[in-house]
Every structure is written in C-alpha cells, then in structure tokens.
Amino acid sequence: MLVAFDPGYGAVKLAFEGGVVLLPSAVAADGGRAVRSMAGLRARKPPLEVALPDGPRFFVGEGAHDWGRPVENLDFERLTGSPEMRALFYGALTAAGLEGPLRLMVGLPIEVLSGPDAEGVARAVKAFLRGPHRWTAAGREWTVEVTEVGVTGQPVGALFDYFLDDSGAFIPERRVDFQKEVGVLNIGMNTVDLLVSRSGALVQRMTGGETLGVRRLLSLLNPDGLYTLAELDERLRARQLDLSEALPVWEREVLGFIERQWGKAFRRFARVIAVGGGALLLGHALARRFDRIWIPPDPVMATARGLLKFARKQAGRREA
C-alpha cells in the first residue's frame, strides 16, 4: 500500500488509500505512575500510549503532556529515527489501522534538504523507515514492513496537491500553469518553506526555508516558558489564545522572509500555493500580498495529500 508521511513538528500526517490521519506531535515519556481517580474531579481518558520494542513507553497526541514527562526536541535529527519520532510514527499508523507491507513517500522541510548534510539526512531518514517495525499500542502488538521509501520536500507535496487529482493524473484546467512559474509557501510549526518551480524544475535561487513557523508565534505568547509548545498548540487549535498582539509581529517576520527570498518576482508567478497551519492564521495577509494565491480547503493536510498523489503518479509511470 502507498502511504504518504509528513513528519510535521505540529502534527504528523498520513495519507493513504481510504483516509488520512493527523496526530498532534505531542510526546511524553510514561513514568509508570498515574492517579486513576479522585473524588470530586472528572476522570480523563489517557492519550494513546505506544510501547517501543526496546522498552520505552510514550504517550502521543493531544493531551500527552498532561500525562507524562514532555519530550520536545525541535532539531532536525529527530526526523532520522529518534525515540519520540518512532513513537509518533507508530501512533499514527495505529490510528490509521495500517499493517502489512507499505511503500512510503516522505516529505521533509526544505531547510533539511538544502543544508550541507542534506544527502546524509535523507539517507538516515530512509534507513530509519525502511524495513520491519514492531510496537505495542491500543492493547495489542502491531507489525509493519516498509518496503520502499521515497523522500522529497514538503512543498513538493503542496505543489502536486494543486496540480494532480486523486489518481495522480494532471487536472486538465491546471496543467497549463505547470509549465509556468509557480510558488509554494508552506508555513508549518517549525519552518516556513518557499519553493518555486518552472516547467516542473526547481528554481534554486527562490527556494529556501527558515525556522519561522508557528512555533515563533507561540514563543511570542510564552516569554516565560510556562507552557510547552504542545500545550500552547492545543490551545491555539481550540482558539483559546489571544493573538491580537503577537500575530501582527509574527506576520511581519514571515512576510519579511518571503520578501527577502522572492522580492517582487512573485508577480510573475502563475499561482502561489499556500499550505500548512500558518496559512490558516495568515490567510488574509497572504491574500493581500498575492493576488493569485490558492489556499486549499484543508491546508494542514495538503502536503500529505499531495505526496500521496505524487507517489501514485510515480507508480503509474513504473507500471506503464
């Protein structure tokens, strides 16, 4: 089965035949002790718990940081098979109910794929994912065999989400724009990624990434470090945060990065595609800046959806 995997810092996303899964990227080590009930207080259902084969147990997903010791590392090394990344990957597979042989298409941030260690990171990601996997969750043991791993940039997923239909074929009325310059703006939790393609080829000088994602907005709301990133992200998703002062500051920082990277060149783009959770937060500002912008109905899942479409397109070529 083909599966698209977007290991986002705000949430890990899977897209596959029959559905999608979004699992908030909150991880906490299980200390083995919990107060199960207390008179006068409502009992809460614990989040999904994942046990790795070598012993560690982690809570993953929404509410995880209320149940264990938060594990919150935002470096790029986590993508190469850290315990918390394995727990999130297995948690997402559990939520999707996926087992058996899988072929993965993985989307990584542009900054990871453009640094001096880009090839090494891509190899490490493939080494982590390829092969057998075994874990325990939801009361039973799970096994998966990953037979193939493809790696590309997350914005590539957004690009193909726009241009391809669910079968991996070009949408006829959009195909003409594929031969022109198209900009992709992916505002995730950790990074803001920009990509420009022309006739399906990368335009290097206008492609890049910066760690100015939604985490930067949340840091402005958390100057004393009273909350974990995952705790603030949950409150953001629930619309429980006052963004009136911090949002304009972050907006200027993001638009400033775009200006440095693209300048006025965006005026010649046939389309600007904006995805990620940040596209929801900055939608009005982006629409004011770019007159040919396209924000999908669900910009958070767009990368994973597009990666699956891209994988189907590649599979069709091999079978032809």
Side-chain angles (χ1 to χ4, degrees), residues 36-47:
R36 297 300 175 185
S37 63
M38 187 173 292
L41 295 178
R42 179 171 55 89
R44 293 181 58 192
K45 182 181 178 181

Side-chain angles (χ1 to χ4, degrees), residues 78-124:
R78 75 174 237 153
L79 300 171
T80 62
S82 64
E84 65 269 25
M85 189 73 257
R86 292 166 62 201
L88 285 167
F89 179 50
Y90 298 158
L93 290 174
T94 300
L98 295 178
E99 290 189 278
L102 304 179
R103 291 179 289 159
L104 294 185
M105 178 59 69
V106 185
L108 298 179
I110 288 292
E111 195 170 0
V112 172
L113 296 177
S114 60
D117 299 326
E119 291 187 7
V121 171
R123 285 195 299 269

Side-chain angles (χ1 to χ4, degrees), residues 229-261:
L229 183 63
E231 287 172 331
L232 281 175
D233 187 40
E234 285 183 23
R235 295 180 64 189
L236 179 65
R237 294 171 191 266
R239 299 185 178 183
Q240 296 174 348
L241 295 177
D242 180 2
L243 304 179
S244 58
E245 294 185 7
L247 186 61
V249 175
W250 178 58
E251 175 186 311
R252 297 305 301 165
E253 292 181 355
V254 172
L255 292 178
F257 168 63
I258 298 171
E259 173 69 22
R260 293 191 298 275
Q261 199 74 29

Side-chain angles (χ1 to χ4, degrees), residues 163-185:
F163 281 111
L164 302 181
D165 62 22
D166 288 337
S167 70
F170 273 100
I171 298 172
E173 60 269 27
R174 294 179 180 175
R175 183 164 192 166
V176 63
D177 285 345
F178 192 72
Q179 303 306 318
K180 303 174 183 179
E181 285 184 329
V182 177
V184 179
L185 171 57

Side-chain angles (χ1 to χ4, degrees), residues 292-317:
R292 289 185 289 274
I293 195 167
W294 181 77
I295 301 176
D298 185 358
V300 175
M301 290 301 303
T303 294
R305 274 198 319 266
L307 289 171
L308 182 61
K309 294 176 182 180
F310 175 55
R312 286 171 175 160
K313 180 178 178 62
Q314 285 195 317
R317 285 177 175 173

Side-chain angles (χ1 to χ4, degrees), residues 97-312:
L98 295 178
E99 290 189 278
L102 304 179
R103 291 179 289 159
L104 294 185
M105 178 59 69
V106 185
L108 298 179
I110 288 292
E111 195 170 0
V112 172
L113 296 177
S114 60
D117 299 326
E119 291 187 7
V121 171
R123 285 195 299 269
V125 170
K126 290 180 179 181
F128 149 52
L129 291 170
R130 188 184 290 116
H133 296 268
R134 180 171 55 86
W135 71 96
T136 301
R140 70 179 184 89
E141 187 173 280
W142 299 72
T143 58
V144 157
E145 176 80 21
V146 177
T147 58
E148 297 178 27
V149 181
V151 171
T152 188
Q154 289 171 344
V156 172
L159 184 74
F160 285 108
D161 186 46
Y162 176 76
F163 281 111
L164 302 181
D165 62 22
D166 288 337
S167 70
F170 273 100
I171 298 172
E173 60 269 27
R174 294 179 180 175
R175 183 164 192 166
V176 63
D177 285 345
F178 192 72
Q179 303 306 318
K180 303 174 183 179
E181 285 184 329
V182 177
V184 179
L185 171 57
N186 183 13
I187 309 175
M189 174 58 74
N190 195 39
T191 61
V192 175
D193 287 341
L194 302 180
L195 177 146
V196 175
S197 72
R198 183 192 304 126
S199 300
L202 189 69
V203 180
Q204 288 283 353
R205 72 179 177 87
M206 288 189 284
T207 296
E210 188 66 69
T211 51
L212 277 175
V214 179
R215 64 178 286 196
R216 171 59 182 153
L217 170 66
L218 297 180
S219 72
L220 293 172
L221 297 165
N222 192 35
D224 298 322
L226 299 180
Y227 297 90
T228 68
L229 183 63
E231 287 172 331
L232 281 175
D233 187 40
E234 285 183 23
R235 295 180 64 189
L236 179 65
R237 294 171 191 266
R239 299 185 178 183
Q240 296 174 348
L241 295 177
D242 180 2
L243 304 179
S244 58
E245 294 185 7
L247 186 61
V249 175
W250 178 58
E251 175 186 311
R252 297 305 301 165
E253 292 181 355
V254 172
L255 292 178
F257 168 63
I258 298 171
E259 173 69 22
R260 293 191 298 275
Q261 199 74 29
W262 284 353
K264 297 179 181 179
F266 70 86
R267 296 177 182 174
R268 70 197 200 198
F269 297 170
R271 183 70 65 184
V272 173
I273 302 165
V275 300
L280 289 173
L281 294 165
L282 298 179
H284 293 299
L286 296 174
R288 289 194 303 267
R289 177 62 63 91
F290 307 110
D291 58 354
R292 289 185 289 274
I293 195 167
W294 181 77
I295 301 176
D298 185 358
V300 175
M301 290 301 303
T303 294
R305 274 198 319 266
L307 289 171
L308 182 61
K309 294 176 182 180
F310 175 55
R312 286 171 175 160

